[in-house]
Amino acid sequence: MTLRKNLMMVLAAGTLLISAAGGTMAQDATPKEGGILRYAVSDDPANFDCHSANHFAALMRLAPHYSTLLRFKPGAYPEIEGDLAESWQADPASLTYTFKIRPGVKFHDGTDLSAKDVATTYERLAFPPEGVVSERLEAFRQIEKIEAVDDQTVRFKLKEWDTSVLGTFASPWNCVYSSALLASDPTYPKEKVMGSGPFVFSDFAAGSVWTSTKFDGYFRKGQPYLDGLESYTMEGPAVANAIQAGQIHTDFRGVSPASADRLKQSLGDAVAIESGPSLTHFLVTFNSEKPPFNDERVRRALNLAIDRWGGAKGLGQTTEMRYAGGIFLPGGQFAASEEEMKKMPGFGADIEAARTEARRLLKEAGQENLSFDLTVRNGPPIVVDFGIFLVDQWRQIGVNAKNVVVETPPWASALSEGSFEAIVDIYSALREEPTEQMTKYVSHDVSARSAGRFIDRDLDKLWHDQALETDPVKRKALLRAFETRLYEKSYSLPVVWLERTVAMNAALEGWTFNPSNFLYLDQSSTWLDE
């Protein structure tokens, strides 16, 4: 059976599991009120601004405190529903989306939330003022104008009609802020947590615990069910140990397969294990502004040296790194077939032939004794494992790469500022949507997510064109052209995709398992059967 067929079976099983996890818990049991949900988060946030954050650990802390315009519906992934929006109208003829905002929504400080707050928030995201960073700026490239028509109506005018925009409005990163507070200080969210979400921020002890309490004025009647949240900074084996000891209920990012097996053996029915393909992949990015990585031959050689197929087979036996793949979910609706992938640079079936070509390219470039630092985030252990894997792959062609492991804040700074030679990166998507996923791989001046410091207008045009293409066959042709050029140029190299395995205390109910690390983190529908 081919890898693609295997993955399609896994995806189908994962879809059923996701549906059961979200629907059964929400519909077959009556939620109980009360209790404190305790969960692990691998890192502290660099600051408290959702709009500039680029790591899931920040969102795990911040999401419970904020509302968004739309959201992914609990128990029904990937269906989208209104959050602050009571209803909306799409009008392709006038290139507009018009949203009616729920009346009576309150911020945690007691002030009213209106369309002006939504409009001001999206102005900050789409057209950030000086000193404000919008990490997902490229997601709003199609927005031409934002208008608060009245207190309960906000209208977005697009430059071109793009059906992927609706999902952008549902992104949990688009925390809606107070326009009054932004007027006094556009950067206030970096240090102050104040939204209209289900939980009110209480306290944060760096390296320890983030606490919050139930917001009695939350606009969803009867929610949240929990009295509060406690998220503890921990990672690796400590997470599984804490779940086993009953100190925490879960880590929503997930645990390793080995940890999940151990928890099931030790706790039996007291723990629930859910798993499925993840919309997360690991990649390595080269700084194309710094020699020798400004030489395509060097980048391509390092690409060719990586045995993705063999690596995924070996790594998948003990870690979440399960599937070799490109920039789209392997086996998914937009991915190239395994046969197509094997024709692309870095994905060939003959690794020895690829490495012979890699050595030739390095010699031609005068880099036979290449050595460099690989910046690696000291996050979940598998990130460090991935760095070790890459160093070993490059050693096979005579390259001496050194893993430089740093904590999350300096890693995030290096990624955004370009202060690295090569860097291990992680990309997690909200959904299977090429327009979103490709933002990691277009020119740096087009997308803040793209860390390679390169400019490639051919890639940018292919990205733009596929977003507007309505013919599925023609769109896939554009996607394959994009991938082929990306792997030839080797600016950033996708390597391996993850399996997501979440282990939860069986008392935890109402949370929707899904393939993204970013969704259902506000805990509005979560409850404890204790």
Side-chain angles (χ1 to χ4, degrees):
M1 186 178 290
T2 66
L3 173 63
R4 181 175 176 82
K5 288 180 180 177
N6 267 317
L7 283 171
M8 290 303 288
M9 291 176 66
V10 172
L11 282 166
T15 301
L16 291 174
L17 183 150
I18 290 167
S19 178
T24 303
M25 288 190 291
Q27 297 172 10
D28 294 352
T30 301
K32 293 182 180 179
E33 294 189 13
I36 303 295
L37 174 64
R38 304 181 304 277
Y39 57 99
V41 179
S42 63
D43 297 285
D44 291 345
N47 62 61
F48 301 161
D49 188 352
C50 301
H51 299 176
S52 66
N54 59 8
H55 187 247
F56 72 88
L59 192 63
M60 286 188 173
R61 257 55 187 267
L62 294 166
H65 307 301
Y66 292 99
S67 305
T68 51
L69 185 57
L70 303 178
R71 70 173 188 172
F72 286 81
K73 185 177 180 179
Y77 177 85
E79 184 180 341
I80 290 173
E81 67 174 3
D83 193 23
L84 290 174
E86 188 174 51
S87 63
W88 66 91
Q89 181 179 6
D91 185 355
S94 64
L95 301 179
T96 59
Y97 279 97
T98 303
F99 297 88
K100 286 293 183 181
I101 305 304
R102 298 177 188 273
V105 178
K106 297 284 187 181
F107 281 111
H108 296 161
D109 64 359
T111 58
D112 293 327
L113 186 151
S114 71
K116 181 180 179 181
D117 299 294
V118 175
T120 302
T121 291
Y122 276 88
E123 286 279 354
R124 189 177 191 267
L125 285 160
F127 315 109
E130 185 176 353
V132 171
V133 175
S134 177
E135 179 67 22
R136 280 148 290 279
L137 182 64
E138 71 289 338
F140 304 99
R141 73 199 182 285
Q142 297 287 35
I143 294 179
E144 181 178 279
K145 182 181 179 182
I146 305 168
E147 176 188 10
V149 179
D150 55 43
D151 284 349
Q152 303 305 134
T153 310
V154 60
R155 180 173 295 135
F156 294 81
K157 174 70 180 292
L158 305 186
K159 300 172 185 175
E160 299 172 292
W161 193 251
D162 183 343
T163 56
S164 73
V165 169
L166 196 63
T168 300
F169 289 130
S171 170
W173 295 102
N174 302 341
C175 301
V176 172
Y177 295 144
S178 162
S179 60
L181 289 179
L182 288 175
S184 62
D185 180 6
T187 65
Y188 93 83
K190 293 178 69 173
E191 298 181 354
K192 182 180 179 65
V193 181
M194 203 289 289
S196 59
F199 294 91
V200 180
F201 173 74
S202 296
D203 194 21
F204 172 48
S208 180
V209 62
W210 180 293
T211 59
S212 58
T213 59
K214 175 178 182 176
F215 178 37
D216 291 327
Y218 186 50
F219 62 84
R220 293 185 184 277
K221 187 176 180 180
Q223 294 185 358
Y225 305 115
L226 299 162
D227 288 334
L229 308 173
E230 296 177 356
S231 58
Y232 293 86
T233 304
M234 64 173 70
E235 60 185 4
V239 173
N241 293 340
I243 294 173
Q244 184 172 349
Q247 296 168 337
I248 63 173
H249 294 95
T250 192
D251 179 341
F252 291 106
R253 187 194 69 85
V255 298
S256 70
S259 293
D261 289 343
R262 174 166 65 86
L263 287 168
K264 195 64 180 175
Q265 290 175 9
S266 62
L267 297 177
D269 292 342
V271 66
I273 309 293
E274 305 200 49
S275 64
S278 171
L279 284 169
T280 296
H281 68 276
F282 286 179
L283 61 144
V284 58
T285 294
F286 305 113
N287 190 331
S288 295
E289 291 180 339
K290 291 187 176 183
F293 303 107
N294 59 344
D295 189 327
E296 180 183 331
R297 295 169 297 181
V298 173
R299 301 192 306 267
R300 189 179 173 106
L302 295 172
N303 181 12
L304 293 172
I306 302 171
D307 182 6
R308 290 166 169 84
W309 306 108
K313 183 177 180 180
L315 293 167
Q317 293 180 3
T318 56
T319 75
E320 302 96 302
M321 294 181 278
R322 293 291 181 91
Y323 315 117
I327 61 178
F328 305 114
L329 179 68
Q333 59 179 317
F334 298 108
S337 68
E338 187 172 319
E339 291 72 23
E340 289 174 317
M341 291 301 301
K342 286 182 176 178
K343 296 176 183 178
M344 298 181 186
F347 292 89
D350 189 341
I351 188 60
E352 291 309 318
R355 286 173 175 166
T356 297
E357 172 64 6
R359 295 185 193 98
R360 186 195 70 78
L361 287 169
L362 288 177
K363 183 176 182 179
E364 183 180 292
Q367 295 293 335
E368 293 173 277
N369 299 311
L370 176 63
S371 64
F372 61 89
D373 288 343
L374 175 66
T375 302
V376 182
R377 181 172 69 85
N378 188 22
I382 57 168
V383 179
V384 178
D385 292 344
F386 179 62
I388 293 170
F389 166 73
L390 290 175
V391 166
D392 178 68
Q393 296 294 290
W394 293 328
R395 182 178 57 81
Q396 309 298 321
I397 60 169
V399 171
N400 178 29
K402 176 185 176 184
N403 276 320
V404 178
V405 181
V406 301
E407 297 305 314
T408 295
W411 169 82
S413 295
L415 201 65
S416 60
E417 297 170 4
S419 54
F420 64 88
E421 293 180 289
I423 192 166
V424 164
D425 200 354
I426 306 167
Y427 184 64
S428 295
L430 294 173
R431 55 195 169 128
E432 274 195 89
E433 171 48 58
T435 304
E436 174 190 330
Q437 292 168 288
M438 294 162 77
T439 58
K440 193 69 179 172
Y441 298 100
V442 293
S443 296
H444 181 67
D445 64 346
V446 171
S447 170
R449 291 178 181 172
S450 178
R453 322 298 289 189
F454 66 87
I455 303 296
D456 190 319
R457 297 307 179 209
D458 289 336
L459 286 179
D460 299 343
K461 185 176 187 306
L462 288 166
W463 174 59
H464 173 271
D465 291 350
Q466 66 78 35
L468 304 180
E469 181 56 66
T470 57
D471 184 313
V473 175
K474 292 180 180 178
R475 190 184 193 195
K476 283 189 176 181
L478 291 169
L479 299 183
R480 297 294 81 78
F482 184 98
E483 282 196 283
T484 299
R485 180 171 180 83
L486 175 68
Y487 307 148
E488 286 174 347
K489 296 298 181 180
S490 301
Y491 305 113
S492 288
L493 311 177
V495 177
V496 64
W497 286 72
L498 275 57
E499 180 94 346
R500 188 181 192 193
T501 301
V502 179
M504 300 173 288
N505 185 301
L508 194 157
E509 300 275 7
W511 180 77
T512 304
F513 180 84
N514 68 97
S516 173
N517 287 333
F518 298 139
L519 299 181
Y520 309 115
L521 298 178
D522 72 357
Q523 311 307 338
S524 59
S525 57
T526 307
W527 56 281
L528 295 173
D529 189 12
E530 293 180 333

